[in-house]
Amino acid sequence: MASGIKDRVAILSMGCSRFGERWDVSQDELMCEAYLEALDRAGIDPSMIGAAWYSSHYDDIGAGKAGTPMAQALRLPNIGVTRVENFCAGGTEAFRGAVYAVASGAVDIALAVGVEKLKDTGFAGLPTASRGTFAPMYLPTHTNPGNFSQLARAYATKHGISRDDLKRAMAHTSMKSHANAISNPNAHLRKAITIEQAMNAPLVAEPLGLFDCCPVSDGAACAIVTTPDIARSLGKTAPVLIKAIQVVTSNGWEAQQAEWDGTYVHTARIAAARAYREAGITDPRASIGMAELHDCFSITELVTLEDLGLSAEGRAWKDMLDGLYDADGSLPCQIDGGLKCFGHPVGASGLRMLYEAWLQLTGQAGDRQLKDPKQALTHNLGGGPAQNVCSITVLGGA
């Protein structure tokens, strides 16, 4: 019988580049920034790494869909490098591959790297994507802000929330992330905003305004994982352990059945239930000390808080306004600034969230260090509310 991977794998170290408009460096250099930090923190020789996973969503000209760009950039010791992509959950997918390799006993130490160099594509937002060469035209009027604006309108209608109340809750969500990012030297956006600025900003897709949307960024993040025993033998006396990793993919139900009302993310609820079961969590509000959620838009963070059982259904907007998710609240969210301010290089974001969770759990977060983070949860959402990949990871101590 499958028993999950709880406590079978430890994070030996992690690294993260500075996110932002990195015109001065290449994708290879971004990977090196993250990898060299992780390697230095791990205190190991590269020859000890047995396998690697590489996440990058958009094609690189001349690179192809293979593991060679990462293997060559990092001069890895002729090990297997598997390239993965799973929309915005790709970074967590790479992490899952490395964790599963160690949990299975196939290797002692494994590497996961996520990277994206989006600013050089020439697009103001995410580059245009299709389902493939021979696929029919697919959602020709689709935009990410448009999809999540529909989520916002449906959520407000179902729960009887006025536009002003919803806008204020979303504004508080964004204001919180901006405030948190000020103390993060790796964050893309490090400037405070007011709730009034967010509420009165130009609209992107009603009711989402400019400050409700995360930026498109360049960046990379990295994790080196091993067994708890090996981590301790290398001097990590209290290693961070993986309690759960769950990935759930939409199967078409949301878009094809009338039961889904468009007010929540179906896959997030399934992934949360499975992750809590794997981690042995019965009361997430009492067990989770911090969360890094996929706040591609402010409404996504609010809805996700309910999907994960951290707020009661229809209550997240009130909990947000009450400060529950602020840095000094009972359950800090996006303490590093989140996608909203740290930035969102698609293939790297999942690992960036894990990087912050690892820093917090090991007491290395500096000015933004939380007093008692307990267990940490990270959540990725790749795609739109109706068709997506959702991943949830829970980390904690022994």
Side-chain angles (χ1 to χ4, degrees):
M1 293 289 291
S3 58
I5 50 90
K6 180 182 178 182
D7 295 339
R8 294 169 63 183
V9 181
I11 296 178
L12 184 60
S13 70
M14 296 199 70
C16 187
S17 77
R18 181 171 60 83
F19 282 22
E21 297 184 341
R22 299 296 306 275
W23 307 109
D24 57 321
V25 296
S26 67
Q27 176 169 293
D28 288 0
E29 290 170 293
L30 288 171
M31 283 193 282
C32 286
E33 280 186 36
Y35 172 66
L36 291 175
E37 179 189 351
L39 197 63
D40 181 64
R41 289 178 181 270
I44 62 171
D45 188 89
S47 63
M48 299 171 69
I49 300 171
W53 276 259
Y54 162 53
S55 165
S56 186
H57 183 61
Y58 290 96
D59 290 339
D60 294 311
I61 296 173
K65 294 182 179 297
T68 49
M70 173 176 155
Q72 293 172 1
L74 306 185
R75 296 294 189 267
L76 296 177
N78 294 115
I79 57 175
V81 180
T82 302
R83 185 186 188 277
V84 299
E85 56 178 285
N86 223 345
F87 292 158
C88 304
T92 304
E93 191 65 73
F95 183 74
R96 183 169 71 137
V99 167
Y100 279 14
V102 171
S104 72
V107 299
D108 287 333
I109 299 176
L111 171 69
V113 174
V115 65
E116 212 76 64
K117 193 76 170 69
L118 290 171
K119 302 308 295 186
D120 294 353
T121 64
F123 285 83
L126 293 177
T128 301
S130 71
R131 293 186 75 184
T133 306
F134 299 108
M137 185 178 287
Y138 175 66
L139 295 176
T141 59
H142 152 92
T143 68
N144 286 311
N147 288 341
F148 285 90
S149 72
Q150 291 179 326
L151 177 69
R153 296 292 291 271
Y155 173 78
T157 299
K158 178 177 181 178
H159 299 297
I161 307 167
S162 70
R163 182 184 186 277
D164 185 72
D165 283 342
L166 183 65
K167 287 286 289 182
R168 188 166 295 278
M170 292 193 302
H172 187 108
T173 304
S174 298
M175 177 274 293
K176 162 186 62 65
S177 293
H178 275 268
N180 291 344
I182 291 173
S183 62
N184 187 350
N186 283 341
H188 187 164
L189 303 177
R190 300 181 64 199
K191 186 176 181 179
I193 64 168
T194 66
I195 288 178
E196 288 68 29
Q197 280 179 293
M199 290 187 69
N200 297 319
L203 286 174
V204 175
E206 169 65 35
L208 305 180
L210 178 65
F211 290 111
D212 293 311
C213 310
C214 77
V216 170
S217 314
D218 302 330
C222 171
I224 299 175
V225 298
T226 188
T227 67
D229 287 344
I230 292 175
R232 294 186 185 99
S233 74
L234 292 169
K236 313 300 180 183
T237 56
V240 173
L241 306 181
I242 291 86
K243 302 294 182 178
I245 302 178
Q246 290 292 330
V247 175
V248 175
T249 306
S250 294
N251 63 5
W253 175 82
E254 301 96 323
Q256 299 168 8
Q257 303 297 325
E259 290 92 337
W260 184 64
D261 62 6
T263 66
Y264 64 97
V265 178
H266 182 58
T267 54
R269 297 188 175 191
I270 297 172
R274 292 176 181 171
Y276 294 151
R277 184 165 58 249
E278 184 175 25
I281 293 173
T282 56
D283 183 355
R285 279 296 297 270
S287 300
I288 303 298
M290 61 162 288
E292 288 286 323
L293 308 182
H294 199 93
D295 57 327
C296 48
F297 301 94
S298 55
I299 187 61
T300 319
E301 181 174 342
L302 290 173
V303 170
T304 299
L305 288 167
E306 298 180 15
D307 290 339
L308 304 188
L310 302 176
S311 278
E313 191 166 347
R315 289 281 311 182
W317 69 278
K318 293 183 179 179
D319 290 343
M320 183 64 68
L321 290 173
D322 287 341
L324 267 64
Y325 302 110
D326 291 356
D328 59 355
S330 60
L331 206 169
C333 288
Q334 330 301 56
I335 194 64
D336 62 355
L339 273 67
K340 176 65 190 73
C341 294
F342 205 131
H344 185 26
V346 174
S349 284
L351 281 159
R352 185 274 302 163
M353 296 177 182
L354 291 161
Y355 174 75
E356 180 63 23
W358 177 75
L359 288 178
Q360 292 287 347
L361 291 171
T362 55
Q364 301 181 80
D367 291 343
R368 63 184 186 278
Q369 179 65 49
L370 299 172
K371 183 178 180 180
D372 183 19
K374 302 176 185 175
Q375 295 185 109
L377 179 149
T378 68
H379 157 272
N380 276 145
L381 183 69
Q387 296 187 7
N388 58 71
V389 179
C390 181
S391 65
I392 292 178
T393 306
V394 180
L395 306 177

